[in-house]
Amino acid sequence: MCALFVLLAVAPAQGQAVDPQDGKPSAGAAANRGDDPLTAIDRELTNPASTTTNFNLRTTTYWLSAVEFRTQRVEQTIEVEPLFPFQLTDSLWLLTKPKISLLDSKPYDNNGEIDRSIGVGDLQVPLILVPSAEHWLFGTGPTFVLPTATSDQLGDGKWQVGPAAVVGYRSSRWLAAVFAQQWWSFAGSMFRKDVSKFNAQYFLSYFLDDGWSIGMSPTIQVNWKDAKSQQLTLPVGLGVGKVLKFGDRIALKLGVEMDYMVIRPDNFGQRMSLQFKLTPVLPELHHGPIFGGS
């Protein structure tokens, strides 16, 4: 964490918002519209199709229901999900949001006894093409899963691929969006089961003044290979976030969210979760469109 703040301190000036009129990062866009600068940054750091480079660090505690064992267990994860936007043309962006669990402490059924596995999870890599737009959000592309997990319990042991899409609507005060991914396995360990999984993270946020916001961004999970009664995890929640800015160089968002899983699997299904988030703005990877810039 200290190294991350040092990197931000020596980076070029940060805290820029995206002007929805042309989809290009503009440090003065919020001020030109009479907008609260912290709220403008908050909108970009919450938007799953943002064109502002950022780094999402999350630590989550899950309370699991182990019905067969008539007990409960806790799973703890530390995940990183940076967002890297590349402006291809004046009106088209390529976004990638790689996501990996750097630490996953997961309980599991080990021949009738509850054991625990600790390590790194699989790596998810979506690649989304997003046209510039003022209010409506839309993007689509492929998504991949690489079997980087350090144990069988923390990953699927399969190479996976499938479609991904983001759709939504944003205004000065509201954001409603869904980022959905479906994966099918096509290679990997012959001793592991084939994979067909669906994830849909949905965002509903209301932006207050001075960088405050309330809302939720839980993830619906479906494992199509499980029994029908055990396939779906459906969460709802509520969280609060605050954008902080230190000088002209460092801008970041702090957030906390509690989710409850209305529908969940019986065997080690997630019952509820508590999540803490840190999302700093990072330096731009490039300036202007890569192809055909005006």
Side-chain angles (χ1 to χ4, degrees), residues 57-77:
L57 173 66
R58 293 186 296 268
T59 174
T60 308
T61 299
Y62 297 97
W63 285 266
L64 310 179
S65 296
V67 174
E68 290 186 1
F69 295 89
R70 298 181 181 179
T71 185
Q72 297 179 3
R73 287 293 187 271
V74 170
E75 177 181 0
Q76 294 178 316
T77 66

Side-chain angles (χ1 to χ4, degrees), residues 55 57 77-80 99-104 118-121:
F55 183 92
L57 173 66
T77 66
I78 297 177
E79 295 177 316
V80 294
K99 175 182 175 182
I100 190 171
S101 294
L102 294 182
L103 174 66
D104 193 346
I118 302 176
V120 176

Side-chain angles (χ1 to χ4, degrees), residues 217-240:
S217 58
T219 300
I220 300 170
Q221 304 175 59
V222 182
N223 187 344
W224 302 110
K225 294 295 185 178
D226 279 346
K228 287 188 177 181
S229 62
Q230 305 297 309
Q231 290 178 349
L232 176 63
T233 299
L234 177 61
V236 296
L238 183 64
V240 61

